[in-house]
Amino acid sequence: MSLVGRYVAVVGPADGARPTDLSHAEQVGRELAATGAVMLTGGHHGVMEAAARGARAAGGVSIGLLPGLDRAAGSPEHTYLLPTGLGELRNGLLVRAADAVVAVGCSWGTLSEIALARRTGVPLVLLDPWELPEDVGVVASDASAAVAWVSTVLRPHGH
Amino acid sequence: MSLVGRYVAVVGPADGARPTDLSHAEQVGRELAATGAVMLTGGHHGVMEAAARGARAAGGVSIGLLPGLDRAAGSPEHTYLLPTGLGELRNGLLVRAADAVVAVGCSWGTLSEIALARRTGVPLVLLDPWELPEDVGVVASDASAAVAWVSTVLRPHGH
Amino acid sequence: MSLVGRYVAVVGPADGARPTDLSHAEQVGRELAATGAVMLTGGHHGVMEAAARGARAAGGVSIGLLPGLDRAAGSPEHTYLLPTGLGELRNGLLVRAADAVVAVGCSWGTLSEIALARRTGVPLVLLDPWELPEDVGVVASDASAAVAWVSTVLRPHGH
Amino acid sequence: MSLVGRYVAVVGPADGARPTDLSHAEQVGRELAATGAVMLTGGHHGVMEAAARGARAAGGVSIGLLPGLDRAAGSPEHTYLLPTGLGELRNGLLVRAADAVVAVGCSWGTLSEIALARRTGVPLVLLDPWELPEDVGVVASDASAAVAWVSTVLRPHGH
């Protein structure tokens, strides 16, 4: 089952990422790439970089949408880096450009992306989120479960 | 004590606003206007409209930053309405343009604004929020307490 | 004849404004304010500041949409100043939020606003533009003619 | 001589593209791809599609930044398509994300991109532009000359 041409955002903290967040993100990136998904991130270090590293290891592609104007500020693990100059408004751009969102860990920036995904109806799965209202969405038990959930959601109807 | 020239965003749900949210928002709008603050909102109905009505009743000014392209979609309680066409990215614009944020009630859109305020360091006070991580910030007991907190935060140093 | 509630953007150079641009802008601001229009500008000095000064002198209101994050970078001649943090993308926001655009003089930034107004169909009148393709729109002979043209365009049908 | 990792925006009309614009764009896309550049476009038909087709033919990559919210509205000649929902503000995003801009033909939308490139200092080369102020920049005689100019500009210092 392939997700060729599907775009999945992996979001999560830069500075505050925990070791488990990083290993989760790398595995999510690797397994998403194996499905043929194009991965989108915020382009920075922490969870974003770990996910990009995973995608790269599996031969996949990641596009980082940076908040600032300097491409060199992005993590070189990404295949492509686009400076948006939108500051934190790039969080909304990232959610908007994605067919599904995987949130790994949490931070205030990540929470803004989770909230915007819920607000705009982009399918969302979470790994180790903060304590949030129960209906925040699907909380996956591990990276493989998160990717499996995304695959189900993005599977074309009737296949 | 005046807040002349200070910009305060009042954010909260449109459709999902509860009666207490609306009465809180109207009182916040009225009391903020009395301090001389310029109120910013998302320009729509619900909490935004109630806050604009309060500001208007107190002779104050509100500027609504609409997500869409149609000025006529905004609530006419606002003094000024600016269509941004940014969709949900206008949530980030609203927080960015404000010197402080008052969140009345909650919704996923409101939560994105709360999270962006925390992410970018804009002073934030909440009335009847969802259950959120403890360090989300100051939760006020009523509308007057929220406005009093804003006044303290925005008071020029040494005054 | 009143334009109450209508929003008119006055655009033009900051640094490169000529003395005639500044006097034109101030007169446009004064005469627009007299019609009851709300004036929008990019919030900076030069043509923007002169237009805001004119509006203020006539008892009118101007809202400056700043490219950066610092409200203090705006010209204090404006009634309200909103930092957008969008950089040059605020040029598009300015055109989008306006019911009509008056371009006074020209610069590359101003040309981007002229082009976006043409692209998106916002009524446009120019004073002393660069040499541009003939169909750029109405070129007014002086400030009063520019404001008169705006008044005609924004006049509600049937009045 | 390689431009690996360099991002070049190819801009030009969708509906109003002339046959020579399309053939120029396709050749620019093909030759840029051969240098290893990553091509950015507005994601639509006309010049954008022709450039993407050229890049694809040469084994290169193109990323289309769409103005709307619907990925399916983009031209499938692109390798990747990102819906931005920014409307015409995506013109500014496109220029901002690029290390150089090639403008093929002209339209009001294209002119906004030309003007923003000049305003923000992004290197710009034009093919068959409208009559514009003389200092608009380098006008290339053909597609190969445009790509050669870009290669020179993006060549790392000292190489």
Side-chain angles (χ1 to χ4, degrees):
Chain A
M1 174 61 218
S2 159
L3 294 177
V4 174
R6 300 308 180 104
Y7 295 73
V8 180
V10 179
V11 302
D15 293 324
R18 299 159 297 189
T20 54
D21 294 336
L22 297 177
S23 64
H24 279 153
E26 186 161 344
Q27 190 179 347
V28 166
R30 206 164 51 232
E31 296 196 12
L32 277 177
T35 71
V38 176
M39 200 174 71
L40 306 177
T41 83
H44 275 170
H45 55 287
V47 159
M48 301 167 260
E49 180 171 73
R53 183 183 300 118
R56 177 182 292 275
V61 165
S62 63
I63 303 177
L65 302 177
L66 292 160
L69 290 170
D70 182 10
R71 204 184 319 273
S75 159
E77 295 285 353
H78 291 83
T79 320
Y80 307 106
L81 286 167
L82 302 179
T84 70
L86 294 173
E88 299 307 314
L89 272 64
R90 80 83 155 76
N91 295 8
L93 189 67
L94 187 54
V95 170
R96 181 176 280 176
D99 299 311
V101 174
V102 182
V104 181
C106 208
S107 67
W108 291 112
T110 306
L111 183 57
S112 76
E113 295 162 321
I114 290 170
L116 287 169
R118 286 307 314 269
R119 174 69 182 89
T120 58
V122 179
L124 169 72
V125 61
L126 305 100
L127 271 166
D128 289 338
W130 285 349
E131 295 216 6
L132 294 170
E134 275 189 31
D135 67 337
V136 67
V138 176
V139 178
S141 53
D142 59 26
S144 293
V147 174
W149 186 86
V150 168
S151 300
T152 306
V153 166
L154 295 187
R155 188 182 305 170
H157 300 300
H159 288 76
Chain B
M1 173 62 216
S2 160
L3 294 176
V4 175
R6 300 308 181 104
Y7 295 74
V8 180
V10 180
V11 303
D15 293 324
R18 300 159 297 188
T20 53
D21 293 336
L22 298 177
S23 63
H24 279 153
E26 186 162 344
Q27 189 179 347
V28 165
R30 207 164 48 233
E31 297 196 12
L32 277 177
T35 69
V38 174
M39 199 173 71
L40 306 177
T41 83
H44 274 170
H45 55 287
V47 158
M48 300 167 259
E49 180 172 73
R53 183 182 301 116
R56 179 182 290 275
V61 164
S62 62
I63 303 177
L65 301 177
L66 292 160
L69 291 169
D70 182 10
R71 203 183 320 271
S75 161
E77 296 285 354
H78 291 83
T79 319
Y80 307 106
L81 285 166
L82 301 180
T84 70
L86 294 174
E88 300 306 315
L89 272 65
R90 81 86 153 73
N91 295 9
L93 189 67
L94 188 53
V95 169
R96 182 176 280 177
D99 298 312
V101 174
V102 182
V104 181
C106 208
S107 66
W108 291 113
T110 306
L111 183 57
S112 76
E113 296 162 321
I114 290 170
L116 287 169
R118 285 308 314 270
R119 175 69 182 87
T120 57
V122 180
L124 168 72
V125 62
L126 305 101
L127 271 165
D128 290 338
W130 285 349
E131 295 217 5
L132 295 171
E134 274 189 31
D135 66 338
V136 67
V138 176
V139 179
S141 53
D142 59 25
S144 293
V147 174
W149 186 85
V150 168
S151 300
T152 306
V153 167
L154 296 186
R155 188 182 304 168
H157 300 300
H159 288 75
Chain C
M1 173 62 219
S2 159
L3 293 178
V4 174
R6 299 309 180 103
Y7 295 72
V8 180
V10 180
V11 303
D15 293 324
R18 300 159 297 190
T20 53
D21 294 336
L22 298 177
S23 63
H24 279 154
E26 187 161 344
Q27 190 180 347
V28 166
R30 205 164 51 233
E31 296 195 13
L32 276 176
T35 70
V38 175
M39 200 173 71
L40 306 177
T41 84
H44 275 171
H45 56 287
V47 159
M48 301 167 259
E49 180 172 72
R53 184 182 301 116
R56 178 182 292 276
V61 164
S62 63
I63 303 177
L65 301 176
L66 292 160
L69 291 169
D70 182 10
R71 204 184 319 274
S75 160
E77 296 285 353
H78 292 84
T79 320
Y80 307 106
L81 285 167
L82 301 179
T84 71
L86 294 174
E88 298 307 313
L89 272 64
R90 80 84 153 76
N91 295 10
L93 190 67
L94 188 53
V95 170
R96 181 176 280 177
D99 299 312
V101 174
V102 182
V104 182
C106 209
S107 66
W108 290 113
T110 306
L111 184 56
S112 76
E113 295 162 321
I114 290 170
L116 287 169
R118 287 306 315 268
R119 174 70 183 88
T120 59
V122 180
L124 168 72
V125 61
L126 306 100
L127 272 165
D128 289 338
W130 286 348
E131 295 219 3
L132 295 170
E134 275 189 31
D135 66 338
V136 67
V138 177
V139 178
S141 54
D142 59 26
S144 294
V147 174
W149 186 86
V150 168
S151 300
T152 306
V153 166
L154 296 185
R155 188 182 305 170
H157 298 301
H159 288 73
Chain D
M1 172 63 216
S2 161
L3 294 176
V4 175
R6 299 308 179 104
Y7 295 72
V8 180
V10 179
V11 304
D15 292 325
R18 299 160 296 189
T20 53
D21 294 335
L22 297 177
S23 63
H24 279 154
E26 186 161 343
Q27 190 180 348
V28 166
R30 206 164 50 234
E31 297 195 12
L32 277 176
T35 69
V38 175
M39 200 174 70
L40 306 177
T41 84
H44 274 171
H45 55 288
V47 159
M48 301 167 260
E49 179 171 74
R53 182 182 302 118
R56 177 181 293 276
V61 164
S62 62
I63 303 176
L65 301 176
L66 292 160
L69 291 168
D70 182 10
R71 203 183 320 270
S75 160
E77 296 285 353
H78 291 83
T79 320
Y80 307 106
L81 285 166
L82 302 180
T84 70
L86 294 174
E88 299 307 315
L89 271 65
R90 81 83 154 76
N91 295 9
L93 189 67
L94 188 53
V95 170
R96 181 176 280 178
D99 298 312
V101 174
V102 182
V104 181
C106 207
S107 66
W108 291 112
T110 306
L111 183 57
S112 76
E113 296 162 321
I114 290 170
L116 287 169
R118 287 305 315 269
R119 174 69 181 89
T120 58
V122 179
L124 168 72
V125 62
L126 305 100
L127 271 165
D128 289 336
W130 285 349
E131 295 218 5
L132 295 170
E134 274 189 31
D135 65 337
V136 67
V138 176
V139 179
S141 53
D142 59 26
S144 294
V147 174
W149 186 86
V150 167
S151 300
T152 307
V153 167
L154 297 186
R155 188 182 306 169
H157 299 301
H159 288 74

